Amino acid sequence: MQINIPNSLTWARIALIPLFVGVFYLPEQWLDPQEKNLAATMIFIVAAVTDWFDGYLARALNQTSAFGAFLDPVADKLMVAAALILLVQLARVDSIIAVVIIGREITISALREWMARIGASAGVAVAFVGKLKTAAQMTAIPLLLYDAPLLHLNVRLVGEILIYVAAALTLWSMGYYLHRAMPHLANEGSKAKRPG
């Protein structure tokens, strides 16, 4: 395992997850509900910024590595899954939305791993629809965590709209990646049917 600045930032992002979740379990004598919301929002935003920053540094410092390429998306998915589960518990996100988004992440991660094993990872490289999904999701989650008016903006409503947009884009992007992988899946299926 190569230890460098980008990988250290990714590990730091993973280390923020228990802190992020733990905020909501602190006694109200320490933090009132809105202070908990604010603290969780800030932690999530810091994690999102480090996600961009570690990728930038990996390229700028020429410190890209296979381990970093594996760990970075794992850290992202863990943070997003933790946030969605918390938001379901707080009744700010419908459970079906969380199931769709988390289920898609598991499915596409497994698909990418399999495509990499057969040397066809380019077929499921990140597409524009996937970037749109991430943008909607990473904007919706902090808004739903904050859950209070901001400059006369109905933050909860905007967050709810964006998380539904993210869920729709999640299904669209999953269909897109599965469609790209279908020839390889069909090819592997035909190999399995051939007599030994």
Side-chain angles (χ1 to χ4, degrees), residues 104 108 112 121-135 169 172-178 180:
R104 179 265 188 200
I108 298 306
R112 284 194 172 124
S121 56
V124 286
V126 176
F128 182 67
V129 64
K131 292 179 180 179
L132 278 179
K133 182 271 300 180
T134 300
L169 290 170
W172 183 7
S173 64
M174 184 168 69
Y176 171 82
Y177 292 128
L178 289 171
R180 293 290 304 270

PDB file of all heavy atoms in Angstrom, residues 104 108 112 121-135 169 172-178 180:
ATOM      1  N   ARG A 104     -27.502   0.889  -6.690  1.00  0.00           N
ATOM      2  CA  ARG A 104     -26.822   1.182  -7.960  1.00  0.00           C
ATOM      3  C   ARG A 104     -25.312   1.214  -7.767  1.00  0.00           C
ATOM      4  O   ARG A 104     -24.553   0.693  -8.584  1.00  0.00           O
ATOM      5  CB  ARG A 104     -27.336   2.517  -8.501  1.00  0.00           C
ATOM      6  CG  ARG A 104     -26.686   2.959  -9.817  1.00  0.00           C
ATOM      7  CD  ARG A 104     -25.533   3.884  -9.570  1.00  0.00           C
ATOM      8  NE  ARG A 104     -25.013   4.465 -10.813  1.00  0.00           N
ATOM      9  CZ  ARG A 104     -23.808   4.995 -10.933  1.00  0.00           C
ATOM     10  NH1 ARG A 104     -22.977   4.988  -9.910  1.00  0.00           N
ATOM     11  NH2 ARG A 104     -23.420   5.512 -12.080  1.00  0.00           N
ATOM     12  N   ILE A 108     -22.881  -1.204  -9.885  1.00  0.00           N
ATOM     13  CA  ILE A 108     -21.909  -0.672 -10.853  1.00  0.00           C
ATOM     14  C   ILE A 108     -20.483  -0.926 -10.394  1.00  0.00           C
ATOM     15  O   ILE A 108     -19.596  -1.183 -11.219  1.00  0.00           O
ATOM     16  CB  ILE A 108     -22.165   0.825 -11.117  1.00  0.00           C
ATOM     17  CG1 ILE A 108     -23.563   1.029 -11.720  1.00  0.00           C
ATOM     18  CG2 ILE A 108     -21.107   1.406 -12.055  1.00  0.00           C
ATOM     19  CD1 ILE A 108     -23.853   0.206 -12.967  1.00  0.00           C
ATOM     20  N   ARG A 112     -17.920  -2.860 -12.710  1.00  0.00           N
ATOM     21  CA  ARG A 112     -16.610  -2.295 -13.094  1.00  0.00           C
ATOM     22  C   ARG A 112     -15.468  -3.240 -12.733  1.00  0.00           C
ATOM     23  O   ARG A 112     -14.507  -3.381 -13.478  1.00  0.00           O
ATOM     24  CB  ARG A 112     -16.418  -0.931 -12.416  1.00  0.00           C
ATOM     25  CG  ARG A 112     -17.223   0.169 -13.072  1.00  0.00           C
ATOM     26  CD  ARG A 112     -16.753   1.542 -12.615  1.00  0.00           C
ATOM     27  NE  ARG A 112     -17.411   2.559 -13.414  1.00  0.00           N
ATOM     28  CZ  ARG A 112     -18.138   3.551 -12.929  1.00  0.00           C
ATOM     29  NH1 ARG A 112     -18.309   3.664 -11.627  1.00  0.00           N
ATOM     30  NH2 ARG A 112     -18.684   4.443 -13.721  1.00  0.00           N
ATOM     31  N   SER A 121     -12.484  -2.446 -19.034  1.00  0.00           N
ATOM     32  CA  SER A 121     -12.926  -1.403 -18.113  1.00  0.00           C
ATOM     33  C   SER A 121     -13.307  -0.111 -18.822  1.00  0.00           C
ATOM     34  O   SER A 121     -14.118   0.663 -18.305  1.00  0.00           O
ATOM     35  CB  SER A 121     -11.846  -1.120 -17.062  1.00  0.00           C
ATOM     36  OG  SER A 121     -10.629  -0.767 -17.691  1.00  0.00           O
ATOM     37  N   ALA A 122     -12.752   0.136 -20.014  1.00  0.00           N
ATOM     38  CA  ALA A 122     -13.102   1.355 -20.751  1.00  0.00           C
ATOM     39  C   ALA A 122     -14.582   1.398 -21.099  1.00  0.00           C
ATOM     40  O   ALA A 122     -15.168   2.470 -21.248  1.00  0.00           O
ATOM     41  CB  ALA A 122     -12.264   1.462 -22.022  1.00  0.00           C
ATOM     42  N   GLY A 123     -15.206   0.224 -21.186  1.00  0.00           N
ATOM     43  CA  GLY A 123     -16.627   0.151 -21.535  1.00  0.00           C
ATOM     44  C   GLY A 123     -17.538   0.728 -20.471  1.00  0.00           C
ATOM     45  O   GLY A 123     -18.680   1.103 -20.763  1.00  0.00           O
ATOM     46  N   VAL A 124     -17.055   0.789 -19.229  1.00  0.00           N
ATOM     47  CA  VAL A 124     -17.868   1.346 -18.144  1.00  0.00           C
ATOM     48  C   VAL A 124     -17.145   2.507 -17.467  1.00  0.00           C
ATOM     49  O   VAL A 124     -17.296   2.743 -16.269  1.00  0.00           O
ATOM     50  CB  VAL A 124     -18.268   0.266 -17.112  1.00  0.00           C
ATOM     51  CG1 VAL A 124     -19.349  -0.643 -17.663  1.00  0.00           C
ATOM     52  CG2 VAL A 124     -17.057  -0.552 -16.661  1.00  0.00           C
ATOM     53  N   ALA A 125     -16.352   3.239 -18.252  1.00  0.00           N
ATOM     54  CA  ALA A 125     -15.716   4.444 -17.731  1.00  0.00           C
ATOM     55  C   ALA A 125     -16.800   5.461 -17.384  1.00  0.00           C
ATOM     56  O   ALA A 125     -17.910   5.422 -17.918  1.00  0.00           O
ATOM     57  CB  ALA A 125     -14.763   5.022 -18.775  1.00  0.00           C
ATOM     58  N   VAL A 126     -16.458   6.376 -16.470  1.00  0.00           N
ATOM     59  CA  VAL A 126     -17.447   7.358 -16.008  1.00  0.00           C
ATOM     60  C   VAL A 126     -17.977   8.167 -17.186  1.00  0.00           C
ATOM     61  O   VAL A 126     -17.223   8.733 -17.968  1.00  0.00           O
ATOM     62  CB  VAL A 126     -16.817   8.298 -14.966  1.00  0.00           C
ATOM     63  CG1 VAL A 126     -17.814   9.379 -14.550  1.00  0.00           C
ATOM     64  CG2 VAL A 126     -16.364   7.501 -13.744  1.00  0.00           C
ATOM     65  N   ALA A 127     -19.306   8.207 -17.315  1.00  0.00           N
ATOM     66  CA  ALA A 127     -19.965   8.930 -18.398  1.00  0.00           C
ATOM     67  C   ALA A 127     -20.554  10.233 -17.863  1.00  0.00           C
ATOM     68  O   ALA A 127     -20.654  10.441 -16.653  1.00  0.00           O
ATOM     69  CB  ALA A 127     -21.077   8.060 -19.002  1.00  0.00           C
ATOM     70  N   PHE A 128     -20.975  11.108 -18.790  1.00  0.00           N
ATOM     71  CA  PHE A 128     -21.514  12.411 -18.404  1.00  0.00           C
ATOM     72  C   PHE A 128     -22.742  12.266 -17.515  1.00  0.00           C
ATOM     73  O   PHE A 128     -22.909  13.004 -16.544  1.00  0.00           O
ATOM     74  CB  PHE A 128     -21.852  13.226 -19.660  1.00  0.00           C
ATOM     75  CG  PHE A 128     -22.369  14.601 -19.356  1.00  0.00           C
ATOM     76  CD1 PHE A 128     -21.545  15.553 -18.776  1.00  0.00           C
ATOM     77  CD2 PHE A 128     -23.683  14.940 -19.627  1.00  0.00           C
ATOM     78  CE1 PHE A 128     -22.015  16.827 -18.482  1.00  0.00           C
ATOM     79  CE2 PHE A 128     -24.167  16.206 -19.333  1.00  0.00           C
ATOM     80  CZ  PHE A 128     -23.329  17.152 -18.761  1.00  0.00           C
ATOM     81  N   VAL A 129     -23.599  11.274 -17.812  1.00  0.00           N
ATOM     82  CA  VAL A 129     -24.803  11.088 -16.997  1.00  0.00           C
ATOM     83  C   VAL A 129     -24.424  10.705 -15.567  1.00  0.00           C
ATOM     84  O   VAL A 129     -25.090  11.104 -14.600  1.00  0.00           O
ATOM     85  CB  VAL A 129     -25.749  10.045 -17.630  1.00  0.00           C
ATOM     86  CG1 VAL A 129     -25.117   8.652 -17.672  1.00  0.00           C
ATOM     87  CG2 VAL A 129     -27.079   9.991 -16.881  1.00  0.00           C
ATOM     88  N   GLY A 130     -23.335   9.963 -15.422  1.00  0.00           N
ATOM     89  CA  GLY A 130     -22.847   9.617 -14.088  1.00  0.00           C
ATOM     90  C   GLY A 130     -22.352  10.844 -13.340  1.00  0.00           C
ATOM     91  O   GLY A 130     -22.566  10.970 -12.127  1.00  0.00           O
ATOM     92  N   LYS A 131     -21.707  11.761 -14.054  1.00  0.00           N
ATOM     93  CA  LYS A 131     -21.239  13.000 -13.428  1.00  0.00           C
ATOM     94  C   LYS A 131     -22.411  13.877 -13.014  1.00  0.00           C
ATOM     95  O   LYS A 131     -22.386  14.519 -11.953  1.00  0.00           O
ATOM     96  CB  LYS A 131     -20.321  13.755 -14.387  1.00  0.00           C
ATOM     97  CG  LYS A 131     -18.996  13.037 -14.641  1.00  0.00           C
ATOM     98  CD  LYS A 131     -18.127  13.807 -15.608  1.00  0.00           C
ATOM     99  CE  LYS A 131     -16.810  13.078 -15.858  1.00  0.00           C
ATOM    100  NZ  LYS A 131     -15.945  13.795 -16.819  1.00  0.00           N
ATOM    101  N   LEU A 132     -23.462  13.907 -13.841  1.00  0.00           N
ATOM    102  CA  LEU A 132     -24.667  14.668 -13.493  1.00  0.00           C
ATOM    103  C   LEU A 132     -25.312  14.099 -12.231  1.00  0.00           C
ATOM    104  O   LEU A 132     -25.749  14.837 -11.346  1.00  0.00           O
ATOM    105  CB  LEU A 132     -25.674  14.621 -14.640  1.00  0.00           C
ATOM    106  CG  LEU A 132     -25.496  15.591 -15.801  1.00  0.00           C
ATOM    107  CD1 LEU A 132     -26.591  15.359 -16.836  1.00  0.00           C
ATOM    108  CD2 LEU A 132     -25.518  17.036 -15.325  1.00  0.00           C
ATOM    109  N   LYS A 133     -25.377  12.763 -12.172  1.00  0.00           N
ATOM    110  CA  LYS A 133     -25.943  12.095 -10.996  1.00  0.00           C
ATOM    111  C   LYS A 133     -25.165  12.471  -9.745  1.00  0.00           C
ATOM    112  O   LYS A 133     -25.748  12.817  -8.711  1.00  0.00           O
ATOM    113  CB  LYS A 133     -25.921  10.583 -11.214  1.00  0.00           C
ATOM    114  CG  LYS A 133     -26.518   9.748 -10.093  1.00  0.00           C
ATOM    115  CD  LYS A 133     -25.554   9.348  -9.010  1.00  0.00           C
ATOM    116  CE  LYS A 133     -24.386   8.528  -9.499  1.00  0.00           C
ATOM    117  NZ  LYS A 133     -23.476   8.170  -8.364  1.00  0.00           N
ATOM    118  N   THR A 134     -23.847  12.432  -9.836  1.00  0.00           N
ATOM    119  CA  THR A 134     -23.006  12.770  -8.690  1.00  0.00           C
ATOM    120  C   THR A 134     -23.205  14.220  -8.269  1.00  0.00           C
ATOM    121  O   THR A 134     -23.296  14.518  -7.074  1.00  0.00           O
ATOM    122  CB  THR A 134     -21.521  12.505  -9.026  1.00  0.00           C
ATOM    123  OG1 THR A 134     -21.362  11.122  -9.344  1.00  0.00           O
ATOM    124  CG2 THR A 134     -20.620  12.866  -7.865  1.00  0.00           C
ATOM    125  N   ALA A 135     -23.292  15.132  -9.246  1.00  0.00           N
ATOM    126  CA  ALA A 135     -23.488  16.551  -8.929  1.00  0.00           C
ATOM    127  C   ALA A 135     -24.809  16.769  -8.203  1.00  0.00           C
ATOM    128  O   ALA A 135     -24.860  17.478  -7.184  1.00  0.00           O
ATOM    129  CB  ALA A 135     -23.438  17.379 -10.209  1.00  0.00           C
ATOM    130  N   LEU A 169     -31.436   9.956 -12.252  1.00  0.00           N
ATOM    131  CA  LEU A 169     -30.164   9.866 -12.991  1.00  0.00           C
ATOM    132  C   LEU A 169     -29.403   8.605 -12.617  1.00  0.00           C
ATOM    133  O   LEU A 169     -28.662   8.043 -13.438  1.00  0.00           O
ATOM    134  CB  LEU A 169     -29.314  11.108 -12.723  1.00  0.00           C
ATOM    135  CG  LEU A 169     -29.834  12.413 -13.327  1.00  0.00           C
ATOM    136  CD1 LEU A 169     -29.039  13.608 -12.800  1.00  0.00           C
ATOM    137  CD2 LEU A 169     -29.768  12.372 -14.853  1.00  0.00           C
ATOM    138  N   TRP A 172     -30.913   5.924 -14.731  1.00  0.00           N
ATOM    139  CA  TRP A 172     -30.505   6.170 -16.115  1.00  0.00           C
ATOM    140  C   TRP A 172     -29.052   5.745 -16.322  1.00  0.00           C
ATOM    141  O   TRP A 172     -28.729   5.030 -17.278  1.00  0.00           O
ATOM    142  CB  TRP A 172     -30.702   7.647 -16.433  1.00  0.00           C
ATOM    143  CG  TRP A 172     -30.391   8.037 -17.858  1.00  0.00           C
ATOM    144  CD1 TRP A 172     -30.093   7.207 -18.908  1.00  0.00           C
ATOM    145  CD2 TRP A 172     -30.331   9.367 -18.389  1.00  0.00           C
ATOM    146  NE1 TRP A 172     -29.849   7.936 -20.046  1.00  0.00           N
ATOM    147  CE2 TRP A 172     -29.995   9.271 -19.756  1.00  0.00           C
ATOM    148  CE3 TRP A 172     -30.533  10.627 -17.828  1.00  0.00           C
ATOM    149  CZ2 TRP A 172     -29.846  10.381 -20.571  1.00  0.00           C
ATOM    150  CZ3 TRP A 172     -30.392  11.745 -18.637  1.00  0.00           C
ATOM    151  CH2 TRP A 172     -30.052  11.609 -19.990  1.00  0.00           C
ATOM    152  N   SER A 173     -28.173   6.176 -15.409  1.00  0.00           N
ATOM    153  CA  SER A 173     -26.753   5.848 -15.562  1.00  0.00           C
ATOM    154  C   SER A 173     -26.516   4.351 -15.406  1.00  0.00           C
ATOM    155  O   SER A 173     -25.683   3.771 -16.106  1.00  0.00           O
ATOM    156  CB  SER A 173     -25.900   6.637 -14.562  1.00  0.00           C
ATOM    157  OG  SER A 173     -26.221   6.281 -13.237  1.00  0.00           O
ATOM    158  N   MET A 174     -27.267   3.694 -14.508  1.00  0.00           N
ATOM    159  CA  MET A 174     -27.111   2.247 -14.360  1.00  0.00           C
ATOM    160  C   MET A 174     -27.515   1.537 -15.649  1.00  0.00           C
ATOM    161  O   MET A 174     -26.826   0.614 -16.100  1.00  0.00           O
ATOM    162  CB  MET A 174     -27.939   1.724 -13.188  1.00  0.00           C
ATOM    163  CG  MET A 174     -27.731   0.237 -12.935  1.00  0.00           C
ATOM    164  SD  MET A 174     -28.404  -0.357 -11.371  1.00  0.00           S
ATOM    165  CE  MET A 174     -30.155  -0.212 -11.676  1.00  0.00           C
ATOM    166  N   GLY A 175     -28.628   1.983 -16.246  1.00  0.00           N
ATOM    167  CA  GLY A 175     -29.045   1.417 -17.526  1.00  0.00           C
ATOM    168  C   GLY A 175     -28.002   1.636 -18.605  1.00  0.00           C
ATOM    169  O   GLY A 175     -27.728   0.730 -19.411  1.00  0.00           O
ATOM    170  N   TYR A 176     -27.407   2.820 -18.607  1.00  0.00           N
ATOM    171  CA  TYR A 176     -26.369   3.144 -19.599  1.00  0.00           C
ATOM    172  C   TYR A 176     -25.172   2.208 -19.447  1.00  0.00           C
ATOM    173  O   TYR A 176     -24.691   1.630 -20.434  1.00  0.00           O
ATOM    174  CB  TYR A 176     -25.936   4.596 -19.421  1.00  0.00           C
ATOM    175  CG  TYR A 176     -24.729   4.985 -20.246  1.00  0.00           C
ATOM    176  CD1 TYR A 176     -24.867   5.343 -21.589  1.00  0.00           C
ATOM    177  CD2 TYR A 176     -23.455   4.967 -19.689  1.00  0.00           C
ATOM    178  CE1 TYR A 176     -23.753   5.694 -22.342  1.00  0.00           C
ATOM    179  CE2 TYR A 176     -22.337   5.310 -20.444  1.00  0.00           C
ATOM    180  CZ  TYR A 176     -22.490   5.673 -21.768  1.00  0.00           C
ATOM    181  OH  TYR A 176     -21.392   6.005 -22.522  1.00  0.00           O
ATOM    182  N   TYR A 177     -24.683   2.037 -18.199  1.00  0.00           N
ATOM    183  CA  TYR A 177     -23.506   1.188 -17.982  1.00  0.00           C
ATOM    184  C   TYR A 177     -23.808  -0.284 -18.274  1.00  0.00           C
ATOM    185  O   TYR A 177     -22.972  -0.995 -18.848  1.00  0.00           O
ATOM    186  CB  TYR A 177     -22.995   1.349 -16.548  1.00  0.00           C
ATOM    187  CG  TYR A 177     -22.406   2.713 -16.257  1.00  0.00           C
ATOM    188  CD1 TYR A 177     -22.837   3.460 -15.164  1.00  0.00           C
ATOM    189  CD2 TYR A 177     -21.421   3.267 -17.072  1.00  0.00           C
ATOM    190  CE1 TYR A 177     -22.313   4.715 -14.889  1.00  0.00           C
ATOM    191  CE2 TYR A 177     -20.889   4.517 -16.809  1.00  0.00           C
ATOM    192  CZ  TYR A 177     -21.340   5.233 -15.715  1.00  0.00           C
ATOM    193  OH  TYR A 177     -20.813   6.481 -15.456  1.00  0.00           O
ATOM    194  N   LEU A 178     -24.988  -0.730 -17.885  1.00  0.00           N
ATOM    195  CA  LEU A 178     -25.359  -2.117 -18.178  1.00  0.00           C
ATOM    196  C   LEU A 178     -25.476  -2.349 -19.682  1.00  0.00           C
ATOM    197  O   LEU A 178     -25.076  -3.411 -20.182  1.00  0.00           O
ATOM    198  CB  LEU A 178     -26.675  -2.475 -17.484  1.00  0.00           C
ATOM    199  CG  LEU A 178     -26.602  -2.625 -15.961  1.00  0.00           C
ATOM    200  CD1 LEU A 178     -27.997  -2.769 -15.368  1.00  0.00           C
ATOM    201  CD2 LEU A 178     -25.726  -3.814 -15.569  1.00  0.00           C
ATOM    202  N   ARG A 180     -23.770  -0.746 -21.962  1.00  0.00           N
ATOM    203  CA  ARG A 180     -22.393  -0.796 -22.484  1.00  0.00           C
ATOM    204  C   ARG A 180     -21.735  -2.139 -22.197  1.00  0.00           C
ATOM    205  O   ARG A 180     -20.912  -2.620 -22.988  1.00  0.00           O
ATOM    206  CB  ARG A 180     -21.550   0.322 -21.832  1.00  0.00           C
ATOM    207  CG  ARG A 180     -21.951   1.738 -22.202  1.00  0.00           C
ATOM    208  CD  ARG A 180     -21.633   2.093 -23.641  1.00  0.00           C
ATOM    209  NE  ARG A 180     -20.236   1.917 -23.982  1.00  0.00           N
ATOM    210  CZ  ARG A 180     -19.311   2.867 -23.858  1.00  0.00           C
ATOM    211  NH1 ARG A 180     -19.650   4.051 -23.368  1.00  0.00           N
ATOM    212  NH2 ARG A 180     -18.061   2.640 -24.208  1.00  0.00           N
TER     213      ARG A 180
END
